[in-house]
Amino acid sequence: MSFAATVLTLYPEMFPGPLAASLSGRALEKGIWSLERVQIRDFAHDRHRSVDDTPAGGGAGMVLRPDVLAEAIDSTASEGDARPRILLSPRGRPMTQAFVRDLAKGPGAVLICGRFEGVDERVIEARGLTEVSIGDYILSGGELGAMVLLDAVVRLLPGVMGNQESGEAESFETGLLEHPQYTRPQHFEGRGIPEVLTSGDHGRVAAWRRAEAERITRKRRPDLYALYEAGHRPGKGES
Ligand code: SAH
């Protein structure tokens, strides 16, 4: 069963864009996931094909109309379509690895990309959209957010990553940031590789990596470290 992504956007030509390269591109060719692009403007009603209007109450910018967006969403819904409808939005729940992992286990996603000042609140309610944010900054549109989400999901789909294990040890999967990584050459501009990593002692290597992951997380992300210390493990119910 392949992961079915539908993206609703005013800029369908932006897709697959960077997702056509590397891991996600190969997976797309292999049919591990599929990508359908829907031009929101195709659902405009007037001859100017307008999709937006001025904000009620005044103020700068334009807002995406609820009727046009609702019709675009409804055009993607077939009988029994259980895919979550996700609106990329700076007001949404922060995108986490646990969220991405849950999504990757499901049938796919309908991703709605806002533009301008955002979308009319009523379509969010009426179509049960889940708002998801990729971080505390403002993008000019949801398209890059949708790409970030798809990139994160697709690499988790079975058959996409060569070494399935490398997904497991990564930052956030353990609740900790990752330990430092090294490779050849043995000496680089006067810097060596920590001795323990070349000792061949797997127990010591594992202990060193865990200690480094804890040290780095404590220093850089005290918020994550507090959750880790409290026994929180991502993917076990919480996100
Ligand atoms: N006026 C809005 C921002 C609109 S930005 C506000 O202040 O909340 C235009 C569109 O870009 C949004 O509708 C959303 O789809 C997308 N976008 C902007 N920032 C985003 C973020 N951090 N995460 C996900 N989508 C974002």
Side-chain angles (χ1 to χ4, degrees):
M1 197 187 64
S2 107
F3 184 91
T6 299
V7 181
L8 280 69
T9 168
L10 290 168
Y11 300 96
E13 68 278 10
M14 286 176 76
F15 293 86
L19 299 173
S22 191
L23 280 183
S24 53
R26 265 196 305 277
L28 190 56
E29 274 172 20
K30 282 204 252 170
I32 295 174
W33 68 293
S34 64
L35 178 64
E36 179 194 16
R37 303 172 298 178
V38 174
Q39 168 57 276
I40 295 168
R41 202 173 292 283
D42 288 348
F43 298 87
H45 298 148
D46 59 343
R47 60 191 181 85
H48 302 295
R49 302 222 299 157
S50 49
V51 294
D52 56 339
D53 211 327
T54 54
M62 299 294 270
V63 175
L64 270 167
R65 288 169 58 119
D67 50 351
V68 175
L69 202 49
E71 276 187 44
I73 293 168
D74 294 346
S75 80
T76 70
S78 53
E79 195 76 38
D81 188 349
R83 294 178 298 164
R85 294 161 169 180
I86 296 171
L87 173 67
L88 282 302
S89 161
R91 300 188 317 178
R93 56 182 285 187
M95 192 183 300
T96 61
Q97 189 63 18
F99 176 80
V100 164
R101 190 166 280 287
D102 276 352
L103 205 57
K105 287 186 196 130
V110 178
L111 303 175
I112 298 141
C113 304
R115 278 273 158 182
F116 321 118
E117 289 309 312
V119 314
D120 187 301
E121 189 71 20
R122 293 167 295 176
V123 72
I124 301 176
E125 294 165 12
R127 291 298 179 274
L129 308 186
T130 301
E131 294 180 73
V132 172
S133 166
I134 68 159
D136 291 342
Y137 38 79
I138 305 292
L139 304 168
S140 49
E143 288 77 10
L144 288 170
M147 287 178 203
V148 166
L149 186 152
L150 288 172
D151 182 274
V153 166
V154 166
R155 61 188 286 288
L156 296 178
L157 299 175
V160 174
M161 269 200 299
N163 178 5
Q164 206 65 31
E165 234 181 67
S166 86
E168 307 287 315
E170 251 146 1
S171 293
F172 307 121
E173 295 289 1
T174 56
L176 293 171
L177 301 180
E178 200 178 58
H179 54 79
Q181 299 274 18
Y182 298 89
T183 186
R184 277 175 283 276
Q186 184 73 33
H187 295 283
F188 167 69
E189 296 185 354
R191 295 160 198 265
I193 293 175
E195 174 275 325
V196 52
L197 297 180
T198 48
S199 68
D201 182 337
H202 299 301
R204 273 182 68 213
V205 169
W208 180 87
R209 286 181 169 166
R210 164 68 52 164
E212 282 294 287
E214 289 179 355
R215 179 183 66 79
I216 288 169
T217 309
R218 198 181 317 120
K219 189 163 139 213
R220 297 186 188 177
R221 291 292 302 275
D223 57 323
L224 286 182
Y225 193 74
L227 288 174
Y228 169 78
E229 269 200 316
H232 164 99
R233 292 294 178 277
K236 302 233 168 91
E238 213 185 322
S239 48

